[in-house]
Amino acid sequence: IGPEELIPVSPRPDAADFVFVGELRHLKGVDLLLDALALLTPQGPATAVVVGDGPDAATFKAQADQLGLADRVRFPGAMPARQAFALGRSLVMPSRAESFPYVVLEAGAAALPMIATAVGGIPEITRDSGVPLIPSEDTTALATAMLRHIDDRSSAAAEAQSLRLVIADRFTIARMTSDVL
């Protein structure tokens, strides 16, 4: 992460409750995000922005319609990550599998509260930050985490600040080059 990426991103006044940023394909778990959002309906009209493009974009849009979420989920297409981060109050990364997702580093560096699954390199990135990770494929756990982010934004923000400090310590260009040399 470069120094400019460690500048926090504030949500826009019209930000959705949640934002997903990534390739729109089954592996990334957008379908799980939509299912979890539908589970939150009795608690209130939670909103989401799904940023990206990919082979399953039409499938996810159809799923949102089928779940009655068309008025609560927007699909603006692809855009730069930092621009996308301002569209939501918490990032949701419900991935089924990952390697070492750069978007998690970027969102963490930007102090964006995060809900993510314990797959691939995500536990390595979030280690010692206090950010709780959820199991992959667990829609109920995802919905519970999303509800917690809505109900307790201050705790989610504190976790985001802690993750930002971890990333600033371990994953900057300066730190990583000094570790290699």
Side-chain angles (χ1 to χ4, degrees), residues 109-137:
L112 183 62
M114 184 182 312
I115 299 166
T117 52
V119 299
I122 296 173
E124 180 182 349
I125 295 169
T126 60
R127 184 174 37 93
D128 301 326
S129 71
V131 172
L133 300 177
I134 59 170
S136 178
E137 300 274 356

PDB file of all heavy atoms in Angstrom, residues 109-137:
ATOM      1  N   ALA A 109      -6.791  -0.009   4.445  1.00  0.00           N
ATOM      2  CA  ALA A 109      -5.965   1.196   4.479  1.00  0.00           C
ATOM      3  C   ALA A 109      -6.829   2.453   4.472  1.00  0.00           C
ATOM      4  O   ALA A 109      -6.477   3.460   5.081  1.00  0.00           O
ATOM      5  CB  ALA A 109      -5.009   1.203   3.295  1.00  0.00           C
ATOM      6  N   ALA A 110      -7.979   2.384   3.819  1.00  0.00           N
ATOM      7  CA  ALA A 110      -8.907   3.513   3.738  1.00  0.00           C
ATOM      8  C   ALA A 110      -9.807   3.618   4.972  1.00  0.00           C
ATOM      9  O   ALA A 110     -10.676   4.483   5.028  1.00  0.00           O
ATOM     10  CB  ALA A 110      -9.755   3.392   2.482  1.00  0.00           C
ATOM     11  N   ALA A 111      -9.597   2.730   5.958  1.00  0.00           N
ATOM     12  CA  ALA A 111     -10.382   2.712   7.205  1.00  0.00           C
ATOM     13  C   ALA A 111     -11.871   2.472   6.965  1.00  0.00           C
ATOM     14  O   ALA A 111     -12.720   2.984   7.680  1.00  0.00           O
ATOM     15  CB  ALA A 111     -10.161   3.990   8.021  1.00  0.00           C
ATOM     16  N   LEU A 112     -12.176   1.644   5.963  1.00  0.00           N
ATOM     17  CA  LEU A 112     -13.562   1.288   5.687  1.00  0.00           C
ATOM     18  C   LEU A 112     -13.926   0.068   6.529  1.00  0.00           C
ATOM     19  O   LEU A 112     -13.257  -0.965   6.445  1.00  0.00           O
ATOM     20  CB  LEU A 112     -13.736   0.961   4.197  1.00  0.00           C
ATOM     21  CG  LEU A 112     -15.137   0.631   3.722  1.00  0.00           C
ATOM     22  CD1 LEU A 112     -16.085   1.814   3.918  1.00  0.00           C
ATOM     23  CD2 LEU A 112     -15.110   0.230   2.252  1.00  0.00           C
ATOM     24  N   PRO A 113     -14.953   0.160   7.372  1.00  0.00           N
ATOM     25  CA  PRO A 113     -15.372  -1.029   8.122  1.00  0.00           C
ATOM     26  C   PRO A 113     -15.618  -2.193   7.160  1.00  0.00           C
ATOM     27  O   PRO A 113     -16.087  -1.999   6.036  1.00  0.00           O
ATOM     28  CB  PRO A 113     -16.659  -0.574   8.805  1.00  0.00           C
ATOM     29  CG  PRO A 113     -16.476   0.903   8.977  1.00  0.00           C
ATOM     30  CD  PRO A 113     -15.761   1.332   7.711  1.00  0.00           C
ATOM     31  N   MET A 114     -15.297  -3.408   7.629  1.00  0.00           N
ATOM     32  CA  MET A 114     -15.264  -4.549   6.729  1.00  0.00           C
ATOM     33  C   MET A 114     -15.899  -5.791   7.339  1.00  0.00           C
ATOM     34  O   MET A 114     -15.687  -6.095   8.503  1.00  0.00           O
ATOM     35  CB  MET A 114     -13.801  -4.843   6.388  1.00  0.00           C
ATOM     36  CG  MET A 114     -13.606  -5.939   5.390  1.00  0.00           C
ATOM     37  SD  MET A 114     -11.844  -6.267   5.075  1.00  0.00           S
ATOM     38  CE  MET A 114     -11.198  -4.635   4.816  1.00  0.00           C
ATOM     39  N   ILE A 115     -16.639  -6.495   6.497  1.00  0.00           N
ATOM     40  CA  ILE A 115     -17.145  -7.825   6.803  1.00  0.00           C
ATOM     41  C   ILE A 115     -16.543  -8.730   5.734  1.00  0.00           C
ATOM     42  O   ILE A 115     -16.734  -8.495   4.541  1.00  0.00           O
ATOM     43  CB  ILE A 115     -18.684  -7.875   6.732  1.00  0.00           C
ATOM     44  CG1 ILE A 115     -19.298  -6.913   7.755  1.00  0.00           C
ATOM     45  CG2 ILE A 115     -19.186  -9.300   6.932  1.00  0.00           C
ATOM     46  CD1 ILE A 115     -20.772  -6.640   7.522  1.00  0.00           C
ATOM     47  N   ALA A 116     -15.808  -9.746   6.162  1.00  0.00           N
ATOM     48  CA  ALA A 116     -15.137 -10.609   5.195  1.00  0.00           C
ATOM     49  C   ALA A 116     -15.136 -12.045   5.692  1.00  0.00           C
ATOM     50  O   ALA A 116     -15.293 -12.307   6.886  1.00  0.00           O
ATOM     51  CB  ALA A 116     -13.700 -10.129   4.962  1.00  0.00           C
ATOM     52  N   THR A 117     -14.944 -12.947   4.751  1.00  0.00           N
ATOM     53  CA  THR A 117     -14.877 -14.365   5.080  1.00  0.00           C
ATOM     54  C   THR A 117     -13.438 -14.770   5.386  1.00  0.00           C
ATOM     55  O   THR A 117     -12.486 -14.134   4.938  1.00  0.00           O
ATOM     56  CB  THR A 117     -15.428 -15.212   3.919  1.00  0.00           C
ATOM     57  OG1 THR A 117     -14.779 -14.835   2.707  1.00  0.00           O
ATOM     58  CG2 THR A 117     -16.936 -15.032   3.781  1.00  0.00           C
ATOM     59  N   ALA A 118     -13.305 -15.835   6.133  1.00  0.00           N
ATOM     60  CA  ALA A 118     -11.991 -16.344   6.556  1.00  0.00           C
ATOM     61  C   ALA A 118     -11.445 -17.301   5.502  1.00  0.00           C
ATOM     62  O   ALA A 118     -11.307 -18.493   5.734  1.00  0.00           O
ATOM     63  CB  ALA A 118     -12.105 -17.030   7.911  1.00  0.00           C
ATOM     64  N   VAL A 119     -11.143 -16.752   4.319  1.00  0.00           N
ATOM     65  CA  VAL A 119     -10.625 -17.568   3.216  1.00  0.00           C
ATOM     66  C   VAL A 119      -9.342 -16.955   2.678  1.00  0.00           C
ATOM     67  O   VAL A 119      -9.115 -15.745   2.787  1.00  0.00           O
ATOM     68  CB  VAL A 119     -11.663 -17.723   2.075  1.00  0.00           C
ATOM     69  CG1 VAL A 119     -12.924 -18.425   2.574  1.00  0.00           C
ATOM     70  CG2 VAL A 119     -12.002 -16.380   1.449  1.00  0.00           C
ATOM     71  N   GLY A 120      -8.497 -17.794   2.098  1.00  0.00           N
ATOM     72  CA  GLY A 120      -7.277 -17.331   1.448  1.00  0.00           C
ATOM     73  C   GLY A 120      -6.421 -16.481   2.361  1.00  0.00           C
ATOM     74  O   GLY A 120      -6.211 -16.798   3.527  1.00  0.00           O
ATOM     75  N   GLY A 121      -5.934 -15.357   1.843  1.00  0.00           N
ATOM     76  CA  GLY A 121      -5.056 -14.470   2.592  1.00  0.00           C
ATOM     77  C   GLY A 121      -5.766 -13.477   3.483  1.00  0.00           C
ATOM     78  O   GLY A 121      -5.101 -12.685   4.170  1.00  0.00           O
ATOM     79  N   ILE A 122      -7.089 -13.481   3.517  1.00  0.00           N
ATOM     80  CA  ILE A 122      -7.816 -12.512   4.338  1.00  0.00           C
ATOM     81  C   ILE A 122      -7.450 -12.634   5.819  1.00  0.00           C
ATOM     82  O   ILE A 122      -7.189 -11.620   6.471  1.00  0.00           O
ATOM     83  CB  ILE A 122      -9.337 -12.583   4.092  1.00  0.00           C
ATOM     84  CG1 ILE A 122      -9.652 -12.197   2.642  1.00  0.00           C
ATOM     85  CG2 ILE A 122     -10.092 -11.670   5.066  1.00  0.00           C
ATOM     86  CD1 ILE A 122     -11.100 -12.380   2.234  1.00  0.00           C
ATOM     87  N   PRO A 123      -7.380 -13.848   6.394  1.00  0.00           N
ATOM     88  CA  PRO A 123      -6.964 -13.932   7.802  1.00  0.00           C
ATOM     89  C   PRO A 123      -5.557 -13.377   8.046  1.00  0.00           C
ATOM     90  O   PRO A 123      -5.302 -12.788   9.108  1.00  0.00           O
ATOM     91  CB  PRO A 123      -7.030 -15.432   8.112  1.00  0.00           C
ATOM     92  CG  PRO A 123      -8.039 -15.970   7.157  1.00  0.00           C
ATOM     93  CD  PRO A 123      -7.835 -15.157   5.898  1.00  0.00           C
ATOM     94  N   GLU A 124      -4.663 -13.525   7.088  1.00  0.00           N
ATOM     95  CA  GLU A 124      -3.313 -12.964   7.242  1.00  0.00           C
ATOM     96  C   GLU A 124      -3.362 -11.437   7.272  1.00  0.00           C
ATOM     97  O   GLU A 124      -2.678 -10.799   8.072  1.00  0.00           O
ATOM     98  CB  GLU A 124      -2.413 -13.435   6.106  1.00  0.00           C
ATOM     99  CG  GLU A 124      -1.001 -12.890   6.207  1.00  0.00           C
ATOM    100  CD  GLU A 124      -0.106 -13.323   5.057  1.00  0.00           C
ATOM    101  OE1 GLU A 124      -0.489 -14.212   4.280  1.00  0.00           O
ATOM    102  OE2 GLU A 124       0.984 -12.743   4.942  1.00  0.00           O
ATOM    103  N   ILE A 125      -4.175 -10.846   6.416  1.00  0.00           N
ATOM    104  CA  ILE A 125      -4.294  -9.390   6.366  1.00  0.00           C
ATOM    105  C   ILE A 125      -4.895  -8.856   7.659  1.00  0.00           C
ATOM    106  O   ILE A 125      -4.427  -7.860   8.206  1.00  0.00           O
ATOM    107  CB  ILE A 125      -5.140  -8.950   5.156  1.00  0.00           C
ATOM    108  CG1 ILE A 125      -4.442  -9.320   3.847  1.00  0.00           C
ATOM    109  CG2 ILE A 125      -5.434  -7.443   5.217  1.00  0.00           C
ATOM    110  CD1 ILE A 125      -5.307  -9.167   2.610  1.00  0.00           C
ATOM    111  N   THR A 126      -5.942  -9.497   8.157  1.00  0.00           N
ATOM    112  CA  THR A 126      -6.685  -8.977   9.310  1.00  0.00           C
ATOM    113  C   THR A 126      -6.138  -9.423  10.665  1.00  0.00           C
ATOM    114  O   THR A 126      -6.598  -8.939  11.699  1.00  0.00           O
ATOM    115  CB  THR A 126      -8.169  -9.376   9.217  1.00  0.00           C
ATOM    116  OG1 THR A 126      -8.271 -10.807   9.207  1.00  0.00           O
ATOM    117  CG2 THR A 126      -8.823  -8.807   7.956  1.00  0.00           C
ATOM    118  N   ARG A 127      -5.148 -10.321  10.667  1.00  0.00           N
ATOM    119  CA  ARG A 127      -4.598 -10.841  11.926  1.00  0.00           C
ATOM    120  C   ARG A 127      -4.223  -9.708  12.870  1.00  0.00           C
ATOM    121  O   ARG A 127      -3.618  -8.730  12.483  1.00  0.00           O
ATOM    122  CB  ARG A 127      -3.383 -11.715  11.626  1.00  0.00           C
ATOM    123  CG  ARG A 127      -2.788 -12.394  12.842  1.00  0.00           C
ATOM    124  CD  ARG A 127      -1.672 -13.365  12.478  1.00  0.00           C
ATOM    125  NE  ARG A 127      -0.817 -12.953  11.379  1.00  0.00           N
ATOM    126  CZ  ARG A 127       0.335 -12.283  11.539  1.00  0.00           C
ATOM    127  NH1 ARG A 127       0.786 -11.966  12.718  1.00  0.00           N
ATOM    128  NH2 ARG A 127       1.041 -11.949  10.470  1.00  0.00           N
ATOM    129  N   ASP A 128      -4.597  -9.843  14.110  1.00  0.00           N
ATOM    130  CA  ASP A 128      -4.305  -8.884  15.190  1.00  0.00           C
ATOM    131  C   ASP A 128      -5.045  -7.560  15.058  1.00  0.00           C
ATOM    132  O   ASP A 128      -4.731  -6.611  15.780  1.00  0.00           O
ATOM    133  CB  ASP A 128      -2.799  -8.606  15.310  1.00  0.00           C
ATOM    134  CG  ASP A 128      -1.989  -9.861  15.583  1.00  0.00           C
ATOM    135  OD1 ASP A 128      -2.515 -10.753  16.282  1.00  0.00           O
ATOM    136  OD2 ASP A 128      -0.848  -9.952  15.095  1.00  0.00           O
ATOM    137  N   SER A 129      -6.022  -7.474  14.181  1.00  0.00           N
ATOM    138  CA  SER A 129      -6.748  -6.209  13.996  1.00  0.00           C
ATOM    139  C   SER A 129      -8.045  -6.143  14.795  1.00  0.00           C
ATOM    140  O   SER A 129      -8.593  -5.060  14.971  1.00  0.00           O
ATOM    141  CB  SER A 129      -7.077  -5.989  12.521  1.00  0.00           C
ATOM    142  OG  SER A 129      -8.089  -6.897  12.096  1.00  0.00           O
ATOM    143  N   GLY A 130      -8.553  -7.284  15.209  1.00  0.00           N
ATOM    144  CA  GLY A 130      -9.855  -7.303  15.878  1.00  0.00           C
ATOM    145  C   GLY A 130     -11.022  -7.405  14.919  1.00  0.00           C
ATOM    146  O   GLY A 130     -12.175  -7.448  15.353  1.00  0.00           O
ATOM    147  N   VAL A 131     -10.758  -7.434  13.623  1.00  0.00           N
ATOM    148  CA  VAL A 131     -11.841  -7.584  12.649  1.00  0.00           C
ATOM    149  C   VAL A 131     -12.276  -9.047  12.663  1.00  0.00           C
ATOM    150  O   VAL A 131     -11.491  -9.928  12.326  1.00  0.00           O
ATOM    151  CB  VAL A 131     -11.387  -7.172  11.228  1.00  0.00           C
ATOM    152  CG1 VAL A 131     -12.455  -7.528  10.195  1.00  0.00           C
ATOM    153  CG2 VAL A 131     -11.073  -5.687  11.179  1.00  0.00           C
ATOM    154  N   PRO A 132     -13.531  -9.309  13.073  1.00  0.00           N
ATOM    155  CA  PRO A 132     -13.984 -10.702  13.078  1.00  0.00           C
ATOM    156  C   PRO A 132     -14.291 -11.176  11.658  1.00  0.00           C
ATOM    157  O   PRO A 132     -14.902 -10.453  10.879  1.00  0.00           O
ATOM    158  CB  PRO A 132     -15.266 -10.658  13.923  1.00  0.00           C
ATOM    159  CG  PRO A 132     -15.758  -9.253  13.819  1.00  0.00           C
ATOM    160  CD  PRO A 132     -14.548  -8.386  13.574  1.00  0.00           C
ATOM    161  N   LEU A 133     -13.838 -12.363  11.331  1.00  0.00           N
ATOM    162  CA  LEU A 133     -14.121 -12.943  10.026  1.00  0.00           C
ATOM    163  C   LEU A 133     -15.217 -13.988  10.172  1.00  0.00           C
ATOM    164  O   LEU A 133     -15.369 -14.597  11.226  1.00  0.00           O
ATOM    165  CB  LEU A 133     -12.856 -13.573   9.443  1.00  0.00           C
ATOM    166  CG  LEU A 133     -11.694 -12.610   9.229  1.00  0.00           C
ATOM    167  CD1 LEU A 133     -10.471 -13.357   8.711  1.00  0.00           C
ATOM    168  CD2 LEU A 133     -12.079 -11.475   8.290  1.00  0.00           C
ATOM    169  N   ILE A 134     -15.968 -14.177   9.103  1.00  0.00           N
ATOM    170  CA  ILE A 134     -17.071 -15.134   9.138  1.00  0.00           C
ATOM    171  C   ILE A 134     -16.739 -16.322   8.236  1.00  0.00           C
ATOM    172  O   ILE A 134     -15.920 -16.209   7.329  1.00  0.00           O
ATOM    173  CB  ILE A 134     -18.405 -14.485   8.715  1.00  0.00           C
ATOM    174  CG1 ILE A 134     -18.300 -13.924   7.291  1.00  0.00           C
ATOM    175  CG2 ILE A 134     -18.817 -13.392   9.692  1.00  0.00           C
ATOM    176  CD1 ILE A 134     -19.628 -13.493   6.717  1.00  0.00           C
ATOM    177  N   PRO A 135     -17.380 -17.467   8.483  1.00  0.00           N
ATOM    178  CA  PRO A 135     -17.142 -18.617   7.603  1.00  0.00           C
ATOM    179  C   PRO A 135     -17.722 -18.367   6.210  1.00  0.00           C
ATOM    180  O   PRO A 135     -18.759 -17.714   6.064  1.00  0.00           O
ATOM    181  CB  PRO A 135     -17.899 -19.764   8.294  1.00  0.00           C
ATOM    182  CG  PRO A 135     -18.375 -19.244   9.599  1.00  0.00           C
ATOM    183  CD  PRO A 135     -18.280 -17.766   9.578  1.00  0.00           C
ATOM    184  N   SER A 136     -17.062 -18.910   5.220  1.00  0.00           N
ATOM    185  CA  SER A 136     -17.566 -18.818   3.861  1.00  0.00           C
ATOM    186  C   SER A 136     -18.844 -19.634   3.729  1.00  0.00           C
ATOM    187  O   SER A 136     -19.018 -20.646   4.416  1.00  0.00           O
ATOM    188  CB  SER A 136     -16.499 -19.362   2.896  1.00  0.00           C
ATOM    189  OG  SER A 136     -16.971 -19.322   1.581  1.00  0.00           O
ATOM    190  N   GLU A 137     -19.727 -19.180   2.851  1.00  0.00           N
ATOM    191  CA  GLU A 137     -20.982 -19.886   2.541  1.00  0.00           C
ATOM    192  C   GLU A 137     -22.001 -19.845   3.676  1.00  0.00           C
ATOM    193  O   GLU A 137     -23.005 -20.554   3.629  1.00  0.00           O
ATOM    194  CB  GLU A 137     -20.724 -21.358   2.157  1.00  0.00           C
ATOM    195  CG  GLU A 137     -19.844 -21.541   0.950  1.00  0.00           C
ATOM    196  CD  GLU A 137     -20.594 -21.501  -0.374  1.00  0.00           C
ATOM    197  OE1 GLU A 137     -21.825 -21.399  -0.402  1.00  0.00           O
ATOM    198  OE2 GLU A 137     -19.889 -21.555  -1.388  1.00  0.00           O
TER     199      GLU A 137
END
